[in-house]
Amino acid sequence: MDVGGGDSGSVATPVQQKAHEAWRIYQHYLDKTTPHATYRWIGTLVVALAYCLRVYYIQGFYIIAYGLGIYLLNLLIGFLSPLVDPEAAGGSDGPSLPTRGSDEFKPFIRRLPEFKFWYSMTKAFCIAFVMTFFSVFDVPVFWPILLCYWIVLFVLTMRRQISHMIKYKYIPFSFGKQKYGGRSGSGPRAD
């Protein structure tokens, strides 16, 4: 008898087989969306707009919107942050951001890659949308206070993130291919 949960002798039920097959199909189509970033983000904007319209017309579920906003802010910080934080890394041997012009170019590697950022954001909007159909989540709150508090959190967090970017001289976005200036001399260099 296989108590350890190994593959030898384990038989999946038909329900488990169907669930696994459905997951494989879902994963296949999710993988196919990877190169189509523009269409993925347009789809996310449509889902976000549907959620916002639902909250606006219902005039409720503000606590869900606040929780969603905090979660999205957390995702944004992960998206804008480098994989290895220069403050925490100190003198480690891992990859680090160049801090001087003479340092070797190292590409910016995000703590949260774009695809995971998009996927987490889309899932969050879908979950929040579904939660608006259950009245147990409609907690009565004074929404202007939540909005003001979220704006304060956003401003303080972004200020800290931007000062971190300035201090360690990194930009988490790339706009096309980088252009390099030519040499000032006109002939081949003699060493």
Side-chain angles (χ1 to χ4, degrees), residues 49-165:
L49 181 64
Y51 170 75
C52 291
L53 287 173
R54 175 138 175 91
V55 169
Y56 177 74
Y57 284 121
I58 291 176
Q59 294 292 311
F61 297 96
Y62 299 119
I63 199 76
I64 301 295
Y66 176 72
L68 177 65
I70 296 294
Y71 180 70
L72 295 179
L73 181 60
N74 186 26
L75 289 177
L76 181 64
I77 294 303
F79 181 70
L80 295 176
S81 299
L83 180 62
V84 178
D85 188 7
E87 284 180 348
S92 71
D93 296 333
S96 63
L97 296 169
T99 56
R100 295 181 301 277
S102 61
D103 283 354
E104 173 185 343
F105 170 74
K106 295 176 183 153
F108 182 79
I109 301 171
R110 300 177 190 285
R111 187 167 31 130
L112 182 66
E114 184 269 338
F115 185 81
K116 287 184 179 179
F117 177 57
W118 165 80
Y119 185 62
S120 298
M121 186 181 237
T122 305
K123 275 195 324 188
F125 273 112
C126 290
I127 290 169
F129 185 78
V130 169
M131 288 174 80
T132 62
F133 289 98
F134 300 100
S135 61
V136 71
F137 298 116
D138 192 10
V139 179
V141 293
F142 188 59
W143 67 266
I145 290 177
L146 289 179
L147 180 63
C148 290
Y149 185 59
W150 187 86
I151 289 171
V152 167
L153 278 175
F154 180 80
V155 168
L156 292 176
T157 306
M158 284 296 114
R159 183 186 316 163
R160 187 180 54 123
Q161 187 68 30
I162 290 170
S163 67
H164 190 270
M165 289 179 196

Side-chain angles (χ1 to χ4, degrees), residues 1-74:
M1 182 159 100
D2 187 20
V3 179
D7 288 334
S8 64
S10 65
V11 178
T13 66
V15 173
Q16 290 173 331
Q17 290 173 348
K18 290 290 185 187
H20 180 69
E21 183 63 29
W23 178 256
R24 284 189 40 202
I25 291 170
Y26 170 76
Q27 191 64 45
H28 170 75
Y29 285 112
L30 187 64
D31 291 343
K32 286 180 80 157
T33 65
T34 303
H36 307 290
T38 304
Y39 298 119
R40 283 189 283 122
W41 283 103
I42 289 172
T44 299
L45 287 175
V46 168
V47 171
L49 181 64
Y51 170 75
C52 291
L53 287 173
R54 175 138 175 91
V55 169
Y56 177 74
Y57 284 121
I58 291 176
Q59 294 292 311
F61 297 96
Y62 299 119
I63 199 76
I64 301 295
Y66 176 72
L68 177 65
I70 296 294
Y71 180 70
L72 295 179
L73 181 60
N74 186 26

